[in-house]
Amino acid sequence: MANAEKTEWGLKLNRVRRNEMKAGEGRVTIKTTLQMLRANAAINSDDQRPLIPMAHGDPSPFPSFRAATAAVDSVVDALRSARFNGYCANSGLLPARKLLIKLTKSGEFSYLPNFLSGIYGRAVAEYISRDLPFKLSADDVHLTAGGKQAIHAVISSLAHPNTNILLPRPGYSTYDAAAALSQLEVRHYDLVPEKGWEVDLDSAKASADDNTVAIVAETARKLGLLVISDEVYDHITFGSKPFIRMGAFASRVPVVTLGSMSKRWMVPGWRLGWLVSTDPNGFLQKSGLLERVKAFFEVASDPVTFVQAALPEIIEKTEEGFFPKIIDVLRQDADIIFEKLKGIPHITCPNKPEGSMFMMVKLNMDIFGGIQDDIDFCVKLAKEEKVMVLPGSTLGAKNWLRITFGLEPSILEEALQRIKAFCERNTRKPL
Ligand SMILES: *Cc1c(COP(=O)(O)O)cnc(C)c1O
């Protein structure tokens, strides 16, 4: 019975840590919001219409976004070869990798080619380097279990007592959640809708101080800070502006580039991403950050071995037509949604999307009757029309919506009809 009086169970630290988390931060995630919306969409069992998912970015179920045949074949071949059923060496353990390369060359370990995970990292290094003025090597690359793990790796590696990070608002909430978990203080800077979501530099400058460790930015500028550049949507552009990697400016400011197969190859379920130090001057190495990143990956699970093994072929062999076809469908989708929203006065779209598959639109609350706010809108829309869109509050933008338009175009048209009907039903009556 010695334990009978023991009530803390050594979890005291844990409880204190949770209490230190700022209220609201890292609690409402996209995941929990999606669960809530899905539950609401299922309430009316008489409604036989298909659910239209526009709250998260996964177009993979739609025929227009089917994965490239060459990519699928590469994974199947890797799996069938039976050479990649084992563990993969941690991509951060350079000395171990070098030793293994040596042993393999000498024949001693020739039956373990999959331990040479560096060869897969090299494929990513070459892929990213295509858009950079300098060349990366496999040593700059950590393969990750999706873009999300890359976010966790960099955020937890940056967390020190009394430090903070600047995140965009609206932004991708995984950064906030990861920072809260690592007790890294989050400060937000605004993106300005009227200026094509450009960074509000004054708000970013005002938030930064001597304890600021990094800025997460898709459109980053000089603030004298390490830039974390989320390039999960690399090359998914269909407007007038070309895609430019933040790493192109890495000679002036150190950049950690995060990427993933999920969005460009339309295979989020394959869970393969990367964390790349795009840093020709070696700032990150000197700062000790890369040591911490390595330590993270020594503990973390590696991405699935056979998907890693297929990666060089996937990057090399994805059919020429695959990417332009995807871009064409997304451009068509952007046209459809932008035009149709013009016919719904309840919703303002400040910018026509020029990239990715998401857009932020504003709810004109004074036109609505019986709708409290963005969350109320999304819950009722899910329940009454079986259309899921993400409330902006999840991303720090109250009374905005984040809509994923990466759907089969015919389904997108159907969704917009349902949204229009819903808005018309919920219009404020004249007094
Ligand atoms: C989807 C997404 C990620 C996460 O990528 P996964 O490979 O699905 O983990 C990261 N950042 C942004 C901006 C995203 O949209």
Side-chain angles (χ1 to χ4, degrees):
M1 292 301 287
N3 273 344
E5 286 159 32
K6 193 169 174 182
T7 54
E8 293 288 354
W9 301 104
L11 295 172
K12 206 172 186 172
L13 175 67
N14 222 344
R15 206 187 57 203
V16 171
R17 287 172 59 131
R18 286 199 74 81
N19 286 346
E20 280 171 359
M21 282 159 98
K22 289 244 174 71
E25 266 176 26
R27 299 281 165 85
V28 183
T29 64
I30 293 181
K31 234 181 196 168
T32 54
T33 307
L34 289 177
Q35 281 164 358
M36 186 265 290
L37 293 177
R38 241 179 241 122
N40 275 284
I43 288 176
N44 182 5
S45 53
D46 290 340
D47 191 344
Q48 296 295 310
R49 296 175 298 174
L51 175 70
I52 305 185
M54 303 170 81
H56 72 302
D58 184 1
S60 65
F62 301 109
S64 290
F65 297 99
R66 186 143 299 153
T69 312
V72 175
D73 287 348
S74 304
V75 173
V76 170
D77 288 348
L79 189 54
R80 281 197 197 284
S81 76
R83 287 165 60 216
F84 306 104
N85 295 335
Y87 288 118
C88 200
N90 190 310
S91 56
L93 291 174
L94 186 62
R97 210 163 63 214
K98 282 200 171 131
L99 178 69
L100 280 162
I101 291 172
K102 223 162 103 189
L103 291 174
T104 306
K105 278 187 182 149
S106 71
E108 277 178 69
F109 269 151
S110 56
Y111 58 94
L112 283 178
N114 52 324
F115 262 66
L116 304 177
S117 70
I119 61 176
Y120 316 131
R122 190 181 307 150
V124 172
E126 283 165 11
Y127 171 68
I128 306 270
S129 298
R130 286 178 198 166
D131 309 315
L132 295 178
F134 54 94
K135 289 271 167 273
L136 298 169
S137 81
D139 299 338
D140 298 314
V141 177
H142 287 273
L143 293 179
T144 61
K148 246 186 180 175
Q149 195 192 39
I151 293 173
H152 282 285
V154 70
I155 295 291
S156 68
S157 301
L158 284 167
H160 287 278
N162 305 319
T163 51
N164 64 75
I165 186 167
L166 305 187
L167 301 180
R169 181 174 47 205
Y172 189 65
S173 64
T174 297
Y175 288 91
D176 296 82
L181 213 52
S182 296
Q183 300 184 60
L184 179 59
E185 184 199 337
V186 171
R187 297 180 181 181
H188 288 107
Y189 61 92
D190 295 318
L191 304 179
V192 189
E194 297 79 21
K195 292 186 181 168
W197 299 106
E198 228 179 65
V199 175
D200 177 352
L201 270 185
D202 293 334
S203 114
K205 269 188 208 144
S207 302
D209 64 16
D210 290 347
N211 294 325
T212 305
V213 288
I215 180 165
V216 175
E218 276 155 0
T219 343
R221 306 272 197 269
K222 274 197 305 186
L223 267 179
L225 291 173
L226 157 65
V227 176
I228 299 169
S229 184
D230 187 323
E231 297 174 11
V232 164
Y233 291 100
D234 62 347
H235 294 284
I236 307 186
T237 55
F238 34 83
S240 53
K241 301 182 197 88
F243 167 73
I244 296 173
R245 286 198 192 280
M246 190 64 212
F249 307 97
S251 58
R252 288 176 13 215
V253 52
V255 178
V256 174
T257 303
L258 311 184
S260 167
M261 287 192 69
S262 301
K263 308 287 164 62
R264 190 169 188 217
W265 274 271
M266 302 290 159
V267 289
W270 291 7
R271 308 312 301 139
L272 193 75
W274 40 85
L275 183 160
V276 181
S277 58
T278 27
D279 177 36
N281 295 324
F283 294 128
L284 300 176
Q285 192 69 50
K286 274 178 238 148
S287 72
L289 177 69
L290 296 183
E291 283 306 312
R292 290 175 63 102
V293 168
K294 263 179 207 165
F296 177 95
F297 286 111
E298 276 159 24
V299 180
S301 207
D302 291 319
V304 175
T305 314
F306 58 84
V307 180
Q308 287 193 56
L311 185 64
E313 245 189 64
I314 293 171
I315 289 178
E316 231 170 81
K317 293 196 180 160
T318 299
E319 303 89 307
E320 289 245 314
F322 176 75
F323 298 120
K325 198 188 104 216
I326 295 276
I327 295 290
D328 277 348
V329 183
L330 286 174
R331 184 186 291 118
Q332 194 186 334
D333 279 343
D335 288 343
I336 292 171
I337 196 163
F338 190 69
E339 288 309 313
K340 298 273 175 188
L341 285 179
K342 280 186 192 162
I344 309 177
H346 307 64
I347 300 176
T348 301
C349 175
N351 294 282
K352 187 168 177 180
E354 297 197 5
S356 85
M357 56 188 81
F358 292 112
M359 69 199 291
M360 297 291 299
V361 298
K362 194 172 188 325
L363 292 177
N364 301 320
M365 292 313 300
D366 47 349
I367 304 185
F368 283 102
I371 299 285
Q372 304 298 316
D373 55 18
D374 55 330
I375 297 175
D376 196 30
F377 176 97
C378 293
V379 167
K380 287 177 175 159
L381 182 71
K383 197 151 68 180
E384 295 173 26
E385 297 289 345
K386 289 177 84 173
V387 174
M388 285 169 58
V389 297
L390 195 76
S393 297
T394 322
L395 314 167
K398 191 174 163 62
N399 292 337
W400 286 72
L401 304 174
R402 191 194 73 178
I403 303 184
T404 303
F405 56 83
L407 308 181
E408 202 63 31
S410 55
I411 296 176
L412 183 63
E413 304 236 15
E414 157 84 25
L416 286 155
Q417 273 171 21
R418 294 192 204 174
I419 291 173
K420 186 169 189 198
F422 176 82
C423 288
E424 284 171 357
R425 269 205 316 278
N426 289 286
T427 304
R428 175 168 293 176
K429 305 273 182 304
L431 293 172

